[in-house]
Amino acid sequence: MLIDTTLREGAQLFGAYFNVETRKRIADGLIEMGVDEIEMGWVGQEGIHEFAGYLSRAANGTHLSVWSPCREKDILAAAELPVDRINIGVPVSDLHIEKRLDTDRQSMLRKLAAAIHTAREAGFKYISVGLEDISRADPDFSMSMALHAEVCGASRVRLSDSLGQLTPLAMAELVARFRSRIKIDIAVHCHDDFGMATANSVTALDSGADYADVSVMGIGERSGIAATEELVAHLSIRGGRDSYSTEVLKDVCLFVSSAARVPVSRTKAVVGTDIFACESGLHTHALSKLPELFEPYNPESVGTSRKVAVGGKSGRAAVRSALSECGVDSAGADIASLTEAVRQLSCRLSRPLTRSELIRLSSGEVLS
């Protein structure tokens, strides 16, 4: 299941500022998409009360959570929000415990117990504990923290690869180790510093994790985390999860792209404008026969469309097929000569040809 944290992790992206109205639009898209939980922000975030009120009315069954540091006053502040879950962050690596917090392991165990107690007393029925920087933590201590969280009444532990250090094989081992020892839910939070976030998240879910954190366009600190659109598409199309809606992915990504000022690469997985564009002779000819030969899924399933053009990489079959699509009868035409003209013009222009240019070339017009 997916925890979308665009409004918390994503909002921490350098230079990204989402006002309340922008957050509402993003949340509406996430709800329509069918994510299982929305981490709506952090305690003390500007406009959090107004936004939480709106989201609690719009949620339509989606779980709502808020992030809080491991401090009593923040947990109590979180309890004033209309959310049903709290995500408490606690570092488990000695580097953070000693150098950032200037404390020790035993103190962190006591602090965690106190935080969970406070959350329970404040009325939270579902308490998630994020074990931060777990990939650089001592394995025995991080397991002790997870077991301690379970005994104290936590509902979930979130294994946070805070600096994107893990590979899929290492992630599988990590999840399997925790799954064998704890009975509460397991989530993962995978950063993308080495481009592994989506792969690590998919692997974690396949290895026994119950939840994976995601963010639209993968935005977040540094290079971000696993991308919502990639996990939704994978789980829906490959995994058969019909609770997720893939048709809205592109619109949501385009809106977040504009709001965060992060351009969408034309080859971006799932939502790029050119992921179903083709001009290669072999591929275009095959697509005209059977799209499944070179398409992993139907373009319409992710809100986009196929784009086929002729150019410097096209062969005669592709040119003939393109003419047919343009309504031009190619019977008796010198396809070999026309194909050469197409290739030459495309190379001069450094791009595929438009429909108009192909039709004009086929009529014998000389284009420069």
Side-chain angles (χ1 to χ4, degrees):
M1 295 189 285
L2 301 181
I3 306 168
D4 188 282
T5 182
T6 308
L7 300 167
R8 197 277 297 175
E9 173 73 46
Q12 294 173 206
L13 171 69
F14 179 80
Y17 291 88
F18 300 150
N19 61 32
V20 172
E21 290 306 312
T22 295
R23 284 183 244 172
K24 289 178 181 178
R25 284 193 58 181
I26 293 172
D28 288 343
L30 297 175
I31 292 167
E32 188 176 0
M33 198 182 296
V35 299
D36 305 276
E37 178 177 332
I38 296 175
E39 189 173 46
M40 54 174 288
W42 59 86
V43 174
Q45 186 178 16
E46 184 178 357
I48 191 72
H49 286 273
E50 177 188 348
F51 177 56
Y54 169 82
L55 194 50
S56 66
R57 295 186 296 272
N60 194 30
T62 303
H63 290 295
L64 304 179
S65 61
V66 64
W67 187 89
S68 170
C70 192
R71 290 196 297 259
E72 180 179 5
K73 67 174 185 177
D74 293 295
I75 294 169
L76 293 175
E80 297 176 3
L81 299 170
V83 297
D84 56 339
R85 298 182 173 189
I86 184 170
N87 297 317
I88 301 172
V90 55
V92 290
S93 69
D94 290 331
L95 191 63
H96 277 265
I97 293 170
E98 297 172 3
K99 300 300 182 183
R100 179 164 70 90
L101 300 181
D102 194 27
T103 188
D104 56 37
R105 293 181 177 183
Q106 289 304 311
S107 295
M108 289 308 302
L109 286 164
R110 291 192 295 270
K111 191 172 185 179
L112 175 60
I116 295 173
H117 175 76
T118 298
R120 293 182 68 183
E121 288 295 305
F124 283 106
K125 303 299 183 184
Y126 193 100
I127 301 166
S128 178
V129 174
L131 304 181
E132 299 169 354
D133 202 23
I134 198 166
S135 50
R136 297 192 296 177
D138 175 74
D140 292 334
F141 177 65
S142 58
M143 182 63 72
S144 295
M145 288 286 277
L147 291 168
H148 194 54
E150 182 176 35
V151 168
C152 291
S155 309
R156 178 174 70 201
V157 292
R158 183 155 61 172
L159 312 179
S160 298
D161 183 16
S162 304
L163 294 184
Q165 304 287 296
L166 300 180
T167 64
L169 285 176
M171 176 58 76
E173 293 173 0
L174 179 72
V175 171
R177 184 162 58 86
F178 277 83
R179 185 74 288 162
S180 69
R181 297 288 303 277
I182 65 173
K183 296 181 175 62
I184 58 176
D185 290 342
I186 293 175
V188 294
H189 182 88
C190 303
H191 273 266
D192 203 39
D193 297 86
F194 290 95
M196 303 282 185
T198 292
N200 282 342
S201 299
V202 170
T203 299
L205 292 172
D206 286 345
S207 301
D210 303 285
Y211 292 89
D213 282 10
V214 290
S215 176
V216 175
M217 296 288 294
I219 63 171
E221 292 278 1
R222 303 183 313 279
S223 54
I225 65 170
T228 303
E229 64 277 8
E230 294 172 7
L231 266 294
V232 166
H234 175 81
L235 292 173
S236 175
I237 297 170
R238 296 283 294 165
R241 300 280 188 90
D242 57 9
S243 59
Y244 299 122
S245 173
T246 57
E247 290 83 0
V248 301
L249 293 176
K250 190 167 186 176
D251 287 343
V252 176
C253 286
L254 289 175
F255 180 74
V256 171
S257 167
S258 175
R261 297 189 296 278
V262 175
V264 180
S265 166
R266 67 188 181 94
T267 57
K268 172 71 174 69
V270 181
V271 295
T273 57
D274 286 352
I275 59 173
F276 289 99
C278 182
E279 63 165 305
S280 172
L282 173 65
H283 286 197
T284 54
H285 182 54
L287 287 172
S288 68
K289 291 186 172 183
L290 186 66
E292 297 95 299
L293 290 170
F294 284 105
E295 289 179 351
Y297 44 84
N298 190 325
E300 286 74 22
S301 68
V302 290
T304 190
S305 58
R306 185 178 301 113
K307 181 167 61 177
V308 178
V310 292
K313 306 161 195 171
S314 300
R316 283 175 284 184
V319 170
R320 191 184 298 276
S321 176
L323 287 173
S324 177
E325 290 182 6
C326 292
V328 176
D329 185 2
S330 61
D334 186 350
I335 294 296
S337 296
L338 178 58
T339 300
E340 184 59 28
V342 165
R343 289 175 174 174
Q344 290 181 8
L345 179 58
S346 175
C347 289
R348 286 200 302 272
L349 298 174
S350 297
R351 60 168 174 78
L353 302 190
T354 65
R355 289 170 60 93
S356 173
E357 288 166 340
L358 175 62
I359 292 171
R360 290 163 64 191
L361 272 183
S362 69
S363 68
E365 185 176 343
V366 177
L367 304 180
S368 59

